[in-house]
Amino acid sequence: MAILEVKNLNKSFGSNHVLKGIDFTLEEGRVLSVIGSSGSGKTTLLRCITSLETADKGLIKVNGNVVFDSENQHKFTKEEIRQNRLAVGLVFQSFNLFPQYTVLKNVTLACELQAKKRSDWRSNKKQILEEINANAKDILAKVGLSEKLDSYPCQLSGGQQQRVSIARALAMSPDILFFDEPTSALDPELTGEILKVIKDLAAEKMTMVIVTHEMAFARDVSDHIIFMDGGVIVEEGNPEDVINNPQQERTKLFLSRFQDNN
Amino acid sequence: MFWEVTLDLLKGFATTVEIFGLTLLGALPLGLIICFGSMSRFAPLKWLIKTFVWIIRGTPLMLQLVVVYYGPGLLGAWAQELNSTNAFINWLATWEVFDRFLAVMIAFIINYSCYFSEIYRGGIESVPKGQYEACQVLGMTKTQTFFKVILMQVVKHIVPPMSNEIITLVKDTSLSRTIAIYEIIWNAQSFAKSDGLMWPFFYTGAFYLIFNGLLTVIFGKIEKKLDYYHN
């Protein structure tokens, strides 16, 4: 069964029709890359699936749960939307770390707030907090930041900050992890460390959707690639086919701009 | 004579500090309420608050003092002359001038909460949208987002303008002598009137300087404490 299902997704901002009927599915443990030029609707697609924007029309199902359905009149309560969001993680282009907290606290904060809802929170508080801390430290070790637990985001490089934000998303144990151009705000020499973290996650069978401009990376890490242009999916398929042997004119034109880099 | 003057000025300065402290106590929270009003998505409320803030910030505090102090009494006298049987007019006719000190507190608290509200608004709007979105995707509620993530960043941002405004408040308290509050300037003036002495006037400056020096040190400490990170 598909872990992510998107059907006929439409979204407009005013008269600007950004998504014009997007359809795709993603199986558990797979990595999907979404490529396309700026303004093609990639980021909006991500923001609709993570409920940062509300789509106008269509259906979104995450892990069997309907998180958006324009056919069904059911209005999601704020609490339901919050619950739905817990199934997805999002890594932003601009990190959006909390500047006043240490690296460790950035990763544990949301988990702690979430744990307060547990029925055994009062009786078991100390142990729960210890578990959250231990889990956060494990994840930070995985992204290579064990040395930086007590640093503040402003003391870290862009690449380190982005790794904290990946750790922060992972700590919530999402079913799917979304990346919105995770390396676009970084110096070229720092993108490598982020791409390595994503590759490691892929090797662990984390389900991921990556919006990226790194073509070589998209080809190497993904199981499936979608090329978007003008709010529609122009071409999709396995990475070798789409990147090395595109069929559509628009895909060829887009990829030709990256030729120098590959 | 020096000690006599010092003692009298100290007594006046106690009133100055009282006005200062009570104004802060009232205006800090009231400013936050006005701030939320001016940022409201309900347009009529937003514009009502914005107009109010414009009037208060657009007119001298001295004028506001006079209006608050004499206004109710004048309104009451006018209502009495109408000799109406209307219950509302009769109620207005019972209005008298406020107690002087109460009038000062009302005028100062309203005036300063309007200034504070604008500083708060600037602080809240300075927090990037990405911070709210990060909280959203991490499943935080609006209350958690505000208190756990946004508030600290707002506080850091508003400390410098707030310290400026609070130091101005110390000096603005001298305006209350307009309606005969016996604060430090009034007391100094009484020496000029009765004994022909000018130096007590100049002497008051020392009181303001010491008090504001103290505030500057405190705010400097707070700023330094919040300096462990930057955005």
Side-chain angles (χ1 to χ4, degrees):
Chain A
M1 190 194 74
I3 198 164
L4 175 62
E5 220 180 315
V6 175
K7 272 190 191 149
N8 190 29
L9 199 67
N10 278 269
K11 173 71 181 173
S12 300
F13 294 105
S15 60
N16 186 10
H17 201 168
V18 182
L19 297 178
K20 299 171 185 162
I22 301 289
D23 288 278
F24 70 89
T25 57
L26 180 65
E27 299 295 323
E28 189 167 0
R30 294 303 196 84
V31 179
L32 166 71
S33 287
V34 184
I35 59 172
S37 48
S38 303
S40 59
K42 308 174 307 261
T43 295
T44 306
L45 174 63
L46 236 61
R47 291 174 62 87
C48 285
I49 300 172
T50 52
S51 308
L52 282 178
E53 305 281 356
T54 310
D56 299 328
K57 215 178 116 191
L59 173 85
I60 303 170
K61 255 173 144 179
V62 175
N63 211 358
N65 287 323
V66 175
V67 298
F68 176 76
D69 184 3
S70 56
E71 295 301 305
N72 189 340
Q73 292 307 307
H74 172 69
K75 266 279 210 180
F76 287 99
T77 64
K78 283 180 183 172
E79 185 55 36
E80 283 170 327
I81 293 174
R82 230 181 352 264
Q83 282 305 320
N84 289 336
R85 278 193 183 121
L86 291 176
V88 297
L90 175 60
V91 174
F92 296 87
Q93 181 178 344
S94 51
F95 329 137
N96 296 340
L97 293 177
F98 307 134
Q100 73 268 43
Y101 291 128
T102 61
V103 166
L104 184 62
K105 186 73 178 178
N106 261 280
V107 178
T108 57
L109 179 67
C111 303
E112 286 169 13
L113 295 173
Q114 206 56 40
K116 283 185 182 170
K117 275 189 241 156
R118 284 168 56 163
S119 54
D120 59 343
W121 169 251
R122 274 168 192 279
S123 54
N124 233 346
K125 191 172 165 182
K126 212 176 153 197
Q127 198 198 334
I128 292 173
L129 286 178
E130 269 169 20
E131 279 168 19
I132 289 173
N133 259 325
N135 181 45
K137 282 177 185 167
D138 281 350
I139 294 170
L140 282 164
K142 215 160 72 181
V143 299
L145 288 172
S146 291
E147 311 290 307
K148 300 286 182 186
L149 297 183
D150 299 318
S151 302
Y152 288 92
C154 61
Q155 298 166 321
L156 304 178
S157 72
Q160 289 169 331
Q161 290 191 44
Q162 190 59 300
R163 281 188 276 154
V164 176
S165 97
I166 293 172
R168 182 175 68 176
L170 283 173
M172 301 297 286
S173 325
D175 297 328
I176 312 172
L177 190 51
F178 293 83
F179 293 84
D180 184 11
E181 302 188 24
T183 58
S184 293
L186 299 175
D187 294 335
E189 65 262 33
L190 294 177
T191 58
E193 56 189 84
I194 301 305
L195 301 182
K196 183 184 171 300
V197 168
I198 299 176
K199 271 186 188 161
D200 291 348
L201 289 171
E204 289 176 27
K205 294 290 165 208
M206 177 84 207
T207 314
M208 292 185 282
V209 178
I210 308 163
V211 167
T212 185
H213 289 300
E214 303 279 334
M215 292 308 139
F217 170 71
R219 185 187 54 208
D220 296 345
V221 79
S222 338
D223 302 296
H224 197 80
I225 286 197
I226 285 179
F227 169 64
M228 277 179 74
D229 192 41
V232 295
I233 294 176
V234 175
E235 187 163 354
E236 62 177 308
N238 74 55
E240 292 293 331
D241 290 348
V242 176
I243 304 264
N244 295 349
N245 190 19
Q247 300 300 310
Q248 302 289 329
E249 276 311 310
R250 277 192 282 179
T251 320
K252 287 178 191 168
L253 187 70
F254 173 73
L255 287 169
S256 66
R257 282 182 249 153
F258 289 91
Q259 222 109 74
D260 301 337
N261 301 339
N262 294 331
Chain B
M1 194 62 200
F2 180 75
W3 288 116
E4 193 188 322
V5 171
T6 305
L7 220 64
D8 208 57
L9 291 189
L10 260 180
K11 229 187 271 168
F13 198 64
T15 307
T16 297
V17 172
E18 198 182 352
I19 296 170
F20 169 79
L22 289 175
T23 301
L24 278 190
L25 212 64
L28 288 174
L30 184 60
L32 198 61
I33 294 168
I34 293 177
C35 167
F36 287 144
S38 73
M39 292 171 77
S40 168
R41 262 178 253 165
F42 180 58
L45 176 68
K46 177 175 151 178
W47 287 108
L48 187 77
I49 298 279
K50 279 195 178 276
T51 309
F52 183 72
V53 172
W54 168 64
I55 292 170
I56 297 297
R57 295 208 308 167
T59 57
L61 176 53
M62 190 190 273
L63 183 61
Q64 291 162 19
L65 271 171
V66 172
V67 169
V68 172
Y69 181 55
Y70 292 105
L74 288 174
L75 207 63
W78 169 78
Q80 273 175 3
E81 276 180 23
L82 286 181
N83 268 328
S84 167
T85 51
N86 182 307
F88 178 70
I89 299 283
N90 278 330
W91 175 69
L92 273 186
T94 63
W95 281 27
E96 290 169 20
V97 286
F98 275 132
D99 170 69
R100 287 172 199 281
F101 194 76
L102 184 65
V104 165
M105 288 329 304
I106 291 172
F108 269 74
I109 287 175
I110 289 177
N111 183 280
Y112 270 84
S113 53
C114 285
Y115 280 98
F116 290 163
S117 78
E118 286 296 288
I119 294 176
Y120 293 154
R121 194 168 62 86
I124 291 174
E125 286 175 354
S126 76
V127 179
K129 218 175 107 213
Q131 292 287 310
Y132 293 92
E133 293 187 342
C135 294
Q136 274 179 0
V137 292
L138 289 168
M140 294 187 203
T141 64
K142 273 195 166 166
T143 320
Q144 289 169 342
T145 302
F146 184 76
F147 285 103
K148 295 286 177 182
V149 176
I150 306 300
L151 185 63
M152 258 291 267
Q153 297 180 47
V154 173
V155 168
K156 183 179 164 75
H157 197 88
I158 67 174
V159 167
M162 282 302 274
S163 65
N164 227 344
E165 204 57 43
I166 286 170
I167 283 171
T168 304
L169 169 61
V170 176
K171 295 169 289 177
D172 270 0
T173 54
S174 61
L175 288 171
S176 61
R177 61 168 278 282
T178 320
I179 56 171
I181 292 291
Y182 300 161
E183 47 71 67
I184 185 165
I185 297 271
W186 175 283
N187 284 8
Q189 196 178 20
S190 65
F191 283 107
K193 279 182 188 158
S194 56
D195 307 280
L197 294 175
M198 278 309 281
W199 64 265
F201 253 134
F202 308 142
Y203 187 20
T204 60
F207 289 80
Y208 286 110
L209 275 177
I210 290 169
F211 194 68
N212 277 333
L214 214 71
L215 287 178
T216 307
V217 170
I218 293 172
F219 280 115
K221 283 225 162 115
I222 295 175
E223 263 182 67
K224 208 165 170 199
K225 203 158 187 177
L226 292 172
D227 211 30
Y228 69 89
Y229 78 89
H230 50 84
N231 296 52

